[in-house]
Each structure stands twice: as C-alpha cells, then as structure tokens.
Amino acid sequence: MKIRSGRTKSNLRKDGRSSKRWGFVTPLVFILPNFLGFSIFFLFPVFFSLYMSFTKWGILTAPKFIGVNNYLKLLFDDKLFWISLKNTFYYTALSIPLSVVVSIILALLMNYKLRLTNFYRSCFLIPYVTSMVAVALLWLYLYNYEFGLMNHLFKLIGLPPQEWLISSRLAMPSIAMMSVWKSMGFGMILYLAALQGIPEIYYEAAEIDGASFWSKLWHITIPLLNPTTFFYVIISVIGSFQVFEQVQIMTDGGPGNATTVYNYYLYNNAFEWFKMGYAAAMSYILFGILFILTILQKKLFSRGWMGY
Amino acid sequence: MKRGRKKVNIIIKTVFHILLLIGAVTALLPFIWMVKTSLGTQAEALTFPPRLIPTTLIWRNYQKLWVDYGFSRFLLNTLFRATTITLVSTFACAMAAYAFSRLRWRGRDMLFLAYLGTMMIPYQVMLIPRYIIIRDFGWVDTFRALIIPSLFGGAFGTFLLRQFFLGIPSELDDAAMIDGCSKFGIFCRIILPLVKPAMVTLALFSFIGQWNDYIWPLIVTNSDRTKVLTIALSNFVTHHLVFWSELMAGSVISVIPIIIVALWLQRYFVRGIALSGLKA
C-alpha cells in the first residue's frame, strides 16, 4: 500500500502510526500571509515601541537615546499622567459594577423562557454594534443642556435639568452611563450563555431543601457565574483603558481635566504634541498596569470573594 | 394547586416582559431620536421642548450629505476597507490556524507562544510604531495604510480558529491522506467546511471592528479621498456650531449597514460572545 506523501518522509513509529514529519514548505505556505502581517505589524512594533520608550523622538527630529528618562518623568514629574490614571480608574469604578449588575439582571430575565427573546436580544445588540463615534455624537446631543432629550425627560418627571458633560462633577459619570448603555447587549449575551450552562439539578436539589428565590439566586446562581464575571471584568478593565472616542468627541478631556483618561492623554502625547518616545513609555506603563491588574483579579476571584 | 402555580407564572412572566420592554426602550429610544432628528430641520433639532414627530419629513439632510458632503464616497471607502480586510484576514488566519494545529514543524509551538504573548499586549503599544512604519513607507493618506496592517490578520483570529481546528478529529485527515489528498486539499475540502461557523463569527467581528474603527484612520488619513465614515462624522463637531440634523443623518448612514449585518447574522454573534466567555 503506497501512501502518496509528496515531500514527506514517513517513518513508522513504535506504535505503528506514521509520524508526519513534513518539510518546511507546506507549513510555510500556509502560515506565510498571517505570519508576515503578524511579524511586521504586531511583533516588530512591540519591540520597537520598547526601544522608542527609551528615546526622545519628535516628528521631524531624529530619535535621541535618553534611557529611562521618559519613565521617570511620567512617574515623578507629570501631574497629568496621574490625573489621567485617576480618571480612568474612576471611569472603571463607575461603569463596571453597574455593567455587571445590569447584565446579570437582563440575562436572568431573558433566561426565563419568555417568548420574543430574539426581539429583545436584537434591541440590546443594536447599541453594542454601533460605532462608539456615532454613539458619542448621539449622546452629545442627548446630553445637551438646552435641548437634549435627557433634560427633557428629567423635566417631564419633575427633576431639574442637569449640566451633564459641562459639569466637572457629572462629566465622567455621564460618559460612564453611556458606556453601560452601549455594552448592555454584550454582557447580557455572555451571562445568558453561562446561565444556560448551569445544570437544573442544582436548583432542583435546593428546592427540595426548601430554598427561596433569593436564596437560590445568591447561593447558587451568582457563585456559579463567578468565572463569567471574572472574564467580563477583565475584558471591561482592558476596555476602560482604551476609552478614546468618547472623550475626544464629547469633552476634549474637559471640563478642566475631568475626563482626560489615560488613552486620551497617550494619544495627545503621540500625535498632537509629537512626543512619541514619551507616549511609547506611557504605552508600556499601560501594559504593566494591565498585567498587574489581571494577576490581582485572578487572585481575587480564585479565592472566591463570596467565600465559596 | 396547579392552577395557582400557573397564575403566579403568568404574573412573573408579565413582570419580566415589562422589565425587558423598559430595557428595550432604553436601548432603542436614542436611536429613534437619532432618526427623528435626521428627518427634521436644524431649527427643530434646537427647539425645546422637542416635538415627537418633525413637522415635515425632509430628506434634504440625507441629500446634502450624500451629494454635497461626499458621504457616498466615505461609505464606499469604509465598505471597501472593511470588506477587503475581513475577507483576506479570515482566510489568512484560517491557513495559519491550520498550520498551527494540523501540521508539525520546527518552532511551531514557540511561535505560537509568541502569538499568545502579543495578544496580552494593549494595542497602544503597537500603535505608534505602526504609524512610523506607514510614514516611512510613504503610505500616509493612502488606502494601503488603511488596509495593509490588518490585511493578513493578527494573533487573535489565528488563535481563535486554531482552537476550533483542534476540535476536529485527526482521523479525518488520515482518511483523506490515505485517499491521496494533499495537505492543501485536506484544508480546502475537509477542514474549511467544518469550521465555517467559526470563520463566519470571526469575519463578523472583524467586519464590525474595521467599520467602526476610529483611531487608526484618524492617525493615517487626512483627506477626503480616503476618509471613512467614523472620521467624517467626527468632522461635524466643531467647538461652536453643530448641525445636529445633518449629523444625525450622517450617523444613520453609518450605522444602518452594520445594524443590518449584525441582526442578520445575529446567531453568529451570540455564538461568538458566548463561546469566548465559556472558554474562559
């Protein structure tokens, strides 16, 4: 029995299966396009960025090696760096817990075997797939103090009109609320899938023991959703450090510096003020921050914050 | 006893429906407002309290955007960019995923580790060098700059598809090989049809991501010739006067195609999100 094998050597291994030792050509052909794109636009930039972070590099000037000066300046001599970091964490604290709660509630509602689930799901998906630019512009209009829908609705129910994006106190919460609105669909689908994976047996056993609705929710459902929450929180934290369009379009980082988030400050450094080495250092600090946060979250969730 | 249970059930279902309806209205009302404003005049957009329905439905805004402002061009650019990247990158990732999962070669696992590693790195790290590459190639403000960096896919698509490929039993490969099929033939005739759902999911996310992309076009383009919808929209905002009615019309133009695609391929969306969460 001859096996047509092209460029291969087929040796019979001890267990009788032929070992597939292919030459370089076939894998090379398959991997080449993706690898080419990957190495030029992903792998190479990672290292080049590291190099850049140790230089002073303007748009027209040649790069000048300055060691760790960028990092030192960022950490010890740049107020706006720390402000942007604080703002980003503030945004995270505002948006993530709310997102998680809303998503879980929506998923629980959808899980109840109602009809029209497709319709509801479509409704919640629409804000999610819309570009952040369009959403930001839309909400810029909705949040307008004089003629925006939000203040109109507030007046309808008897509340005073708010300054929303013009107030340094409310600007960041406004942006956070918009983000929660936009990502409801994603979280809902995520938690719904997780809910559908919880075996019925757990609930049945609890009912036999006389568990109430709340007790089932608190002691079975929520702890079993922990891995999903962990995943969602990590994704959201990474996402909150990528906030850009909202700030650029709605507030320009203001009022004052109230909404200057990390990514916005980074972009300005790189492409408005052309301090590209400085911005590269910011990007590596960002990498470090996300890395640490991920590890922290892993520790937090594995210990079981519910005590289970 | 049973009838009482049924009654409680109905009450619960009604309450849940109401809650979900409130949620749906919250999700949709801004969009309804967007469409309503786009069909009215600028003056109506500024009035307070706002009317629910504009006095006359005018298409003037859309006409202006399409013809005068060049939105037809911007739509074309965005479509061209998203479609090209999606088609090519999905196949490039599939081929690479095949090589990583089905073929054995020296350095395979080490290279894959590199892929995994870069997936953990935030995009900002790669953003600035990418710009420098584009600038040094002289590609600023060209379609090449918009398309080529993402054209062959990155680590994520390959990683995702590789997971799927690994789930296909290798006996299929062996059977095909005995029948004299080449590696490429196995790829085309056996593997690809089996991973079609995964590829559609990847393509869907890819398309939406490219269509909605803002930062990269912002950095590498600056003329109307290469402008995409997201940038065109942001141009409406100046620090003083915003033409809301026209802006909303532009938003509608940029948003409707994606909504249509996403709702049509909804189940792939759901599968994609659900699987990513479950695997975690």
Side-chain angles (χ1 to χ4, degrees), chain A residues 186 190 226-236, chain B residues 273 276-278 280:
Chain A
F186 177 77
L190 197 68
N226 253 1
T228 315
T229 307
F230 170 57
F231 175 72
Y232 187 52
V233 168
I234 288 197
I235 296 260
S236 302
Chain B
I273 296 177
S276 67
L278 290 177

Side-chain angles (χ1 to χ4, degrees), chain A residues 2-63:
Chain A
K2 184 159 200 259
I3 300 177
R4 204 174 89 193
S5 49
R7 273 187 141 81
T8 65
K9 292 181 269 192
S10 82
N11 315 322
L12 278 179
R13 297 198 319 208
K14 283 194 190 141
D15 57 359
R17 288 160 64 199
S18 72
S19 87
K20 310 186 183 85
R21 280 191 145 270
W22 297 91
F24 268 124
V25 177
T26 314
L28 193 70
V29 165
F30 272 100
I31 205 175
L32 196 63
N34 181 249
F35 177 68
L36 217 58
F38 170 73
S39 50
I40 298 178
F41 293 105
F42 287 80
L43 203 54
F44 170 70
V46 168
F47 294 108
F48 194 65
S49 214
L50 188 60
Y51 163 68
M52 280 181 76
S53 71
F54 296 124
T55 69
K56 187 174 166 134
W57 195 328
I59 185 79
L60 293 170
T61 62

Side-chain angles (χ1 to χ4, degrees), chain A residues 19-303:
Chain A
S19 87
K20 310 186 183 85
R21 280 191 145 270
W22 297 91
F24 268 124
V25 177
T26 314
L28 193 70
V29 165
F30 272 100
I31 205 175
L32 196 63
N34 181 249
F35 177 68
L36 217 58
F38 170 73
S39 50
I40 298 178
F41 293 105
F42 287 80
L43 203 54
F44 170 70
V46 168
F47 294 108
F48 194 65
S49 214
L50 188 60
Y51 163 68
M52 280 181 76
S53 71
F54 296 124
T55 69
K56 187 174 166 134
W57 195 328
I59 185 79
L60 293 170
T61 62
K64 198 173 85 156
F65 190 78
I66 55 171
V68 293
N69 271 356
N70 283 331
Y71 291 96
L72 294 176
K73 185 143 187 273
L74 277 169
L75 293 174
F76 300 116
D77 195 25
D78 191 340
K79 273 205 200 106
L80 205 46
F81 170 78
W82 291 104
I83 292 179
S84 72
L85 211 52
K86 181 191 75 157
N87 285 339
T88 311
F89 279 117
Y90 184 40
Y91 169 84
T92 309
L94 286 173
S95 60
I96 291 188
L98 192 56
S99 268
V100 169
V101 169
V102 168
S103 302
I104 292 184
I105 291 178
L106 286 178
L108 286 172
L109 291 175
M110 293 273 285
N111 197 27
Y112 202 73
K113 294 196 196 54
L114 304 169
R115 280 185 268 158
L116 291 182
T117 41
N118 275 351
F119 165 70
Y120 289 128
R121 198 176 59 198
S122 308
C123 290
F124 291 112
L125 265 187
I126 289 180
Y128 181 63
V129 301
T130 309
S131 71
M132 187 46 104
V133 173
V135 167
L137 291 166
L138 177 60
W139 282 85
L140 187 61
Y141 181 51
L142 298 179
Y143 275 142
N144 187 287
Y145 184 70
E146 284 134 25
F147 45 75
L149 181 63
M150 287 300 292
N151 276 347
H152 178 56
L153 290 176
F154 263 48
K155 276 199 182 160
L156 269 180
I157 48 181
L159 290 173
Q162 300 295 319
E163 282 184 326
W164 304 114
L165 297 169
I166 316 179
S167 134
S168 54
R169 190 177 52 96
L170 286 181
M172 192 58 102
S174 305
I175 294 187
M177 183 168 83
M178 177 182 77
S179 296
V180 172
W181 173 85
K182 185 179 192 298
S183 63
M184 288 191 296
F186 177 77
M188 177 188 86
I189 293 177
L190 197 68
Y191 276 108
L192 190 57
L195 278 177
Q196 287 167 345
I198 298 181
E200 273 294 313
I201 305 180
Y202 293 163
Y203 294 115
E204 287 165 15
E207 270 166 41
I208 293 178
D209 287 344
S212 73
F213 174 72
W214 290 111
S215 143
K216 274 191 282 182
L217 185 68
W218 200 246
H219 291 259
I220 301 181
T221 313
I222 305 258
L224 283 176
L225 288 179
N226 253 1
T228 315
T229 307
F230 170 57
F231 175 72
Y232 187 52
V233 168
I234 288 197
I235 296 260
S236 302
V237 166
I238 294 178
S240 63
F241 273 92
Q242 293 173 343
V243 168
F244 177 72
E245 288 99 324
Q246 305 92 307
V247 174
Q248 230 238 11
I249 289 176
M250 295 171 103
T251 59
D252 260 333
N257 284 318
T259 57
T260 303
V261 290
Y262 198 87
N263 201 18
Y264 183 68
Y265 185 46
L266 197 156
Y267 172 86
N268 279 335
N269 271 306
F271 300 107
E272 292 284 325
W273 309 322
F274 293 114
K275 296 158 72 175
M276 292 199 282
Y278 199 58
M282 274 191 82
S283 72
Y284 259 92
I285 293 183
L286 173 61
F287 179 31
I289 293 176
L290 289 178
F291 191 71
I292 294 176
L293 282 177
T294 308
I295 294 188
L296 276 179
Q297 284 174 86
K298 214 167 189 162
K299 284 227 160 97
L300 189 72
F301 273 89
S302 69
R303 198 177 301 147

Side-chain angles (χ1 to χ4, degrees), chain B residues 67 95 135 139:
Chain B
V67 180
M95 282 168 59
R135 195 191 61 175
W139 287 356

